[in-house]
């Protein structure tokens, strides 16, 4: 890969929330034996495997401040122009002066402006190759807030296309995106499917118990008033104990509690392209439909129900605990909505987990839910890939290319409305935990399909040859 043996990974965003680019850096260091510089914003901490690798060097840029909510609308166009100009200058400074000259720049897209422009300029000045990893189309994300007819969106699309065509090579995340780039953008791209790295795997019983011991306080603490989980909280919940919401330790033996709630995990960026309201509505429907199926009256006291569950009574349909992970602008809005829900059998918790605990949570859950709809309809949600890596079946919102990832009735189900999601929850959790055949079938399918698909293999086969080729052919 040239005498210098160096690559630079560029992320104009929070590195901790850009797993694919972290995996690129790890593969460049491990599988291509390169020194790797990462230029990114700070914020969330990346995985320890990235931090501990001596061949990976992280260069942190200053984060652009959040736009004030009370900013006058007349100043909004000015901010749209000012932000990329400042980012461009800062990014160019890092790429041209702060990091050693690389053989190849690999840049995440989106954001496209000013990233693609800055990286192209830097690659020309430093005589390096330039590869774009297309995760989505940046102009479609901008159109969510400004509308497709906006002049800013049209300008953004032109810049994205023009500088994308100037790259020495391209990777993309789906065959649908590969086709779009070839047909309408004149760009030849290699498909590099997201695959989970080795640390996304099923969680052992001992790991589950230790994780739930760490999370016990958060699990028993309701978002609003008391709910079906907090109602059974022990009087003292410490950081170390023999019993958690889901597990019990007797001596050296650990057991799953038979009467614990089913654990459903959803990871969200709390942005407009993920309609979290669908999940809330589905939770309400599940709660109401279970009550109707069990012939319970609306006026029946939930305290009596929670007492019976706490005393060991099992019902045909379990309680559901939704753990929602992630950070984003709409989190507080939805937390307020959750507080106003009056549910007997469903509870919600929101949290942000360390990078090492997130795979453990996925591997401990019973079902994953994905609300990602894609602004372009051409990208796939990384969170589903992570869930599959942990052997977790998924219910995902249906959109144009999602079936490249979710194989219906093999590793997951698709839904288009809150009512369909509620139907799927009833189907999958009937008879939980011992007699839920549909859920067990999906879990077995997920384990079978996910056992051979890993990031290192995918990267070795598809990304490494491209990176070697463009680096060696670049003058």
């Amino acid at each position: 890969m040239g005498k210098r043996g160096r690559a630079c990974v560029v992320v104009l965003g929070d590195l901790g929330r850009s797993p694919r680019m972290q995996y690129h850096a790890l593969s460049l260091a491990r599988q291509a034996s390169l020194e790797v510089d990462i230029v990114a914003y700070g914020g969330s901490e990346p995985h320890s495997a990235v931090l501990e690798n001596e061949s990976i060097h992280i260069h942190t840029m200053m984060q652009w401040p959040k736009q004030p909510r009370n900013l006058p609308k007349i100043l909004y166009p000015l901010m749209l122009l000012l932000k990329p100009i400042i980012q461009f200058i800062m990014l160019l400074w890092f790429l041209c002066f702060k990091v050693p000259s690389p053989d190849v720049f690999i840049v995440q897209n989106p954001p496209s402006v000013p990233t693609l422009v800055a990286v192209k300029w830097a690659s020309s000045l430093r005589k390096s190759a330039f590869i774009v990893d297309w995760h989505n189309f940046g102009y479609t994300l901008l159109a969510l807030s400004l509308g497709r007819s906006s002049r800013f969106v049209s300008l953004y699309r032109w810049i994205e296309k023009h500088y994308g065509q100037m790259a020495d090579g391209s990777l993309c995340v789906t065959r649908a995106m590969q086709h779009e780039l070839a047909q309408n953008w004149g760009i030849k791209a290699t498909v590099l499917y997201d695959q989970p790295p080795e640390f996304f795997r099923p969680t052992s019983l001992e790991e589950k118990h230790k994780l739930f011991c760490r999370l016990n306080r958060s699990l028993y603490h309701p978002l609003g008033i008391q709910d079906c989980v907090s109602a059974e909280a022990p009087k003292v919940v410490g950081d170390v104990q023999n019993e958690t919401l889901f597990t019990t330790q007797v001596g050296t033996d650990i057991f799953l509690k038979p009467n614990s709630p089913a654990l459903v995990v959803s990871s969200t960026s709390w942005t407009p392209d993920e309609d979290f309201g669908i999940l809330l509505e589905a939770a309400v429907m599940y709660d109401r439909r279970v009550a109707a199926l069990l012939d319970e009256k609306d006026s029946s006291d939930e305290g009596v129900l929670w007492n019976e569950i706490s005393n060991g009574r099992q019902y045909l349909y379990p309680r559901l605990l939704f753990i929602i992970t992630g950070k984003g602008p709409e989190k507080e809005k939805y937390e307020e909505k959750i507080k106003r829900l009056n549910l007997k059998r469903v509870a919600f918790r929101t949290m942000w987990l360390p990078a090492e605990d997130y795979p453990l949570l996925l591997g401990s859950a019973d079902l994953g839910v994905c609300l990602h709809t894609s602004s372009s309809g051409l990208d796939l949600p990384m969170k589903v890939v992570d869930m599959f890596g942990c052997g977790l079946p998924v219910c995902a919102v249906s959109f144009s290319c999602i079936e490249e990832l979710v194989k219906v009735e093999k590793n997951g189900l698709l839904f288009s409305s809150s009512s369909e999601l509620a139907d799927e929850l009833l189907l999958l959790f009937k008879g939980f935990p011992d007699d839920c055949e549909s859920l067990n079938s999906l879990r077995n399918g997920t384990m079978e399909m996910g056992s051979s698909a890993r990031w290192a293999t995918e990267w070795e086969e598809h990304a490494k040859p491209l990176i070697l080729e463009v680096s060696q052919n670049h003058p």
Side-chain angles (χ1 to χ4, degrees):
M1 164 124 5
K3 294 179 181 179
R4 291 170 290 182
R6 198 169 199 106
C8 182
V9 175
V10 184
V11 183
L12 196 66
D14 184 340
L15 178 61
R17 297 169 69 184
S18 305
R20 182 175 167 103
M21 303 312 285
Q22 293 182 57
Y23 306 159
H24 266 306
L26 284 169
S27 292
L28 288 163
R30 292 172 175 175
Q31 295 169 248
S33 302
L34 297 178
E35 291 292 314
V36 182
D37 296 290
I38 303 177
V39 176
Y41 289 142
S44 310
E45 194 165 277
H47 196 277
S48 59
V50 175
L51 296 173
E52 293 167 5
N53 192 302
E54 294 181 358
S55 297
I56 297 176
H57 316 279
I58 300 174
H59 306 265
T60 304
M61 298 183 293
M62 186 171 61
Q63 186 90 27
W64 178 262
K66 287 185 178 180
Q67 189 167 293
R69 290 184 179 179
N70 57 354
L71 182 75
K73 285 188 177 181
I74 196 171
L75 295 178
Y76 189 58
L78 178 64
M79 293 297 289
L80 277 177
L81 291 171
L82 185 61
K83 179 179 178 180
I85 291 171
I86 300 298
Q87 287 178 325
F88 174 77
I89 295 169
M90 180 170 58
L91 191 53
L92 203 60
W93 169 258
F94 270 79
L95 299 182
C96 290
F97 301 103
K98 296 282 282 185
V99 302
S101 183
D103 296 307
V104 60
F105 287 102
I106 301 177
V107 57
Q108 170 184 298
N109 183 76
S112 317
V113 179
T115 324
L116 297 185
V117 184
V119 176
K120 176 56 187 172
W121 283 29
S123 68
S124 298
L125 290 168
R126 308 202 79 170
K127 295 180 170 47
S128 304
F130 162 36
I131 293 175
V132 179
D133 190 6
W134 296 84
H135 298 197
N136 200 350
F137 291 113
Y139 81 92
T140 64
L141 292 171
L142 186 63
L144 290 176
S145 55
L146 299 183
R148 290 272 178 141
S149 60
S150 167
R151 291 183 180 180
F152 281 109
V153 173
S154 299
L155 176 62
Y156 197 105
R157 185 184 186 279
W158 182 87
I159 294 171
E160 186 172 19
K161 181 178 180 179
H162 180 70
Y163 280 90
Q165 290 173 334
M166 297 173 76
D168 299 296
S170 291
L171 298 165
C172 64
V173 295
T174 63
R175 296 204 179 281
M177 184 176 288
Q178 181 189 48
H179 183 266
E180 171 68 16
L181 286 167
Q183 292 294 109
N184 299 319
W185 292 58
I187 295 172
K188 181 183 178 182
T190 299
V191 178
L192 176 66
Y193 281 118
D194 284 318
Q195 299 290 0
E198 71 280 359
F199 39 81
F200 282 90
R201 54 175 176 74
T203 305
S204 70
L205 193 53
E206 183 180 0
E207 288 173 322
K208 289 180 183 181
H209 182 69
K210 289 179 178 178
L211 173 69
F212 293 136
C213 284
R214 293 195 293 276
L215 297 181
N216 229 17
R217 285 186 181 274
S218 301
L219 296 179
Y220 280 118
H221 189 269
L223 275 172
I225 58 174
Q226 193 176 49
D227 58 33
C228 64
V229 170
S230 63
E232 65 168 287
K235 292 180 180 178
V236 178
V237 181
D239 293 325
V240 179
Q241 61 278 310
N242 294 328
E243 184 171 338
T244 73
L245 178 62
F246 296 96
T247 57
T248 301
Q249 183 170 1
V250 180
T252 58
D253 296 323
I254 298 170
F255 304 94
L256 289 173
K257 294 168 72 172
N259 208 28
S260 62
L263 178 55
V264 184
V265 175
S266 183
S267 176
T268 178
S269 54
W270 302 100
T271 50
D273 64 338
E274 294 188 348
D275 185 1
F276 191 73
I278 291 178
L279 183 56
L280 294 189
E281 290 170 7
V284 172
M285 290 177 186
Y286 175 88
D287 199 68
R288 304 290 185 262
R289 290 177 187 178
V290 170
L293 288 167
L294 299 179
D295 200 26
E296 294 175 356
K297 297 179 180 178
D298 290 341
S299 58
S300 60
D301 184 6
E302 63 261 24
V304 174
L305 171 67
W306 296 341
N307 249 353
E308 290 177 346
I309 293 172
S310 186
N311 290 331
R313 180 174 176 182
Q314 286 187 272
Y315 290 84
L316 184 61
Y317 296 94
R319 294 170 293 162
L320 301 184
L321 173 60
F322 288 91
I323 295 183
I324 316 299
T325 69
K327 297 178 180 177
E330 297 196 335
K331 181 180 178 183
E332 290 181 4
K333 180 181 86 172
Y334 281 109
E335 282 181 333
E336 287 303 314
K337 289 187 176 183
I338 291 170
K339 289 177 184 178
R340 293 194 293 270
L341 296 177
N342 181 25
L343 304 176
K344 294 179 181 179
R345 283 185 168 80
V346 181
F348 284 87
R349 302 291 182 266
T350 60
M351 58 183 69
W352 175 258
L353 295 174
E356 288 71 33
D357 278 350
Y358 178 60
L360 295 176
L361 177 65
L362 296 186
S364 302
D366 300 298
L367 181 70
V369 173
C370 177
L371 302 168
H372 177 86
T373 53
S374 175
S375 60
S376 65
L378 299 171
D379 70 312
L380 293 173
M382 184 74 189
K383 65 197 76 177
V384 172
V385 175
D386 294 339
M387 290 171 180
F388 286 162
C390 295
L392 183 65
V394 172
C395 290
V397 172
S398 179
F399 62 91
S400 56
C401 66
I402 189 65
E403 290 189 47
E404 285 191 41
L405 180 59
V406 179
K407 309 302 179 184
V408 176
E409 295 185 357
K410 292 182 180 178
N411 59 7
L413 299 173
L414 301 177
F415 61 90
S416 300
S417 66
S418 52
S419 182
E420 286 183 11
L421 176 56
D423 288 339
E424 291 170 3
L425 294 174
L426 287 166
L427 169 70
L428 295 175
F429 288 118
K430 183 179 181 181
F432 182 87
D434 299 321
D435 299 317
C436 41
E437 293 181 8
S438 297
L439 181 62
N440 289 336
S441 175
L442 289 185
R443 182 175 287 279
N444 291 336
T446 303
M447 296 288 282
E448 289 171 11
M449 296 178 71
S451 59
S452 59
R454 288 290 160 180
W455 170 267
T457 307
E458 183 80 6
W459 192 90
E460 185 79 24
E461 184 177 345
H462 299 288
K464 187 177 179 180
L466 175 68
I467 294 168
L468 285 170
E469 180 186 350
V470 301
S471 300
Q472 291 169 353
N473 293 341
H474 198 75

